[in-house]
Amino acid sequence: MKKLITYALSFGMVAVLGCRDESLNPVPGWESGVHAYTAFADVAEPAKNSSSRKNSLAYAANFPKTGQDVDAAKVNFKIRWVSLDNVLTVSKAEVYVEMLDYYSDADGNPKTASLGPKLIKTISPAAANRQYSTFSISPTEIYNVYKDATFKYDKVNAVKVFANPANPRPTGKWFNGTEDFVITWKLYTADGKVFTTWNPDSVCGDTTPFSDAAANCQLVFDVK
């Protein structure tokens, strides 16, 4: 009798497992993805397998706020897309800038005005996996995408950021050192996929030694 019960239970388990509907499995299967590594082009790259990530950190470049030639004062970048399994190919990359304007409220408390991300560049990246493409961003380009931007610094009245009497900026130069610029990117693959966000720990906070597969999710530069 014990043997019959054991056989019956074993057969029942096999029957249940054999009839499993995988379409109802709540755990999705892994798909191929891509990420990017963007750096300041004029800053030396860390040595391979180095734990240093200085080239991917913020503020390695800036716009000068004094004696600024707006046509020449640009920041140079380089970007490479990475497909770890060599399945996908990136056909287009969009680069966005988010301008942060630092100010003090009526009580003297430090505040930050985010003017929201704006498309600043559309580039055709290198066709080969892990190969750099270069681009630059100038003060003129950033001014042009934000010249009509407004913000309610007093929480009531919207004023143009570049015409704010409480924070005057040099005519024709536009930036005075109260700004930061956050650079992010969006990747398009040849098969129609779009990648806009990545895991904040495994990709954006990549702590592995520097290599051709390095990843990051943003760069920040400012005005000095």
Side-chain angles (χ1 to χ4, degrees):
M1 181 61 71
K2 290 183 178 179
K3 289 183 178 181
L4 288 174
I5 293 174
T6 301
Y7 290 150
L9 290 174
S10 299
F11 178 79
M13 291 177 65
V14 171
V16 170
L17 292 174
C19 296
R20 179 176 178 177
D21 186 350
E22 289 298 330
S23 67
L24 301 178
N25 186 356
V27 180
W30 293 104
E31 294 185 359
S32 295
V34 292
H35 63 258
Y37 178 72
T38 303
F40 297 105
D42 302 326
V43 178
E45 187 170 277
K48 295 295 187 293
N49 299 318
S50 168
S51 60
S52 172
R53 287 306 185 95
K54 292 181 180 180
N55 200 32
S56 65
L57 299 179
Y59 309 113
N62 58 74
F63 290 152
K65 67 179 179 180
T66 58
Q68 178 175 252
D69 180 345
V70 295
D71 294 321
K74 63 182 180 180
V75 176
N76 298 314
F77 300 90
K78 56 184 179 181
I79 182 173
R80 65 185 176 202
W81 58 272
V82 177
S83 173
L84 293 176
D85 57 8
N86 296 298
V87 171
L88 300 177
T89 300
V90 174
S91 57
K92 182 176 74 170
E94 291 179 345
V95 179
Y96 292 79
V97 61
E98 178 185 8
M99 179 174 164
L100 304 178
D101 190 27
Y102 297 99
Y103 69 100
S104 297
D105 65 13
D107 298 319
N109 299 309
K111 298 290 183 179
T112 304
S114 171
L115 305 186
K118 300 285 188 181
L119 178 63
I120 195 79
K121 292 281 180 176
T122 299
I123 61 177
S124 297
N129 190 8
R130 308 185 187 196
Q131 298 298 309
Y132 280 120
S133 299
T134 59
F135 66 94
S136 62
I137 297 176
S138 71
T140 303
E141 290 173 314
I142 292 183
Y143 171 76
N144 283 337
V145 297
Y146 284 112
K147 62 183 178 182
D148 295 321
T150 62
F151 189 81
K152 294 181 180 179
Y153 292 97
D154 62 359
K155 299 183 180 181
V156 178
N157 302 300
V159 299
K160 280 192 172 186
V161 172
F162 288 102
N164 181 9
N167 186 18
R169 289 178 163 88
T171 302
K173 296 180 180 178
W174 309 308
F175 304 116
N176 61 10
T178 63
E179 310 89 358
D180 274 354
F181 309 103
V182 183
I183 304 300
T184 56
W185 41 91
K186 182 186 295 187
L187 304 178
Y188 294 77
T189 58
D191 64 347
K193 293 183 174 67
V194 182
F195 295 84
T196 60
T197 57
W198 292 267
N199 186 294
D201 298 318
S202 63
V203 177
C204 302
D206 187 3
T207 58
T208 59
F210 184 80
S211 71
D212 289 340
N216 61 356
C217 292
Q218 69 175 35
L219 283 179
V220 183
F221 66 102
D222 60 2
V223 180
K224 291 182 178 179

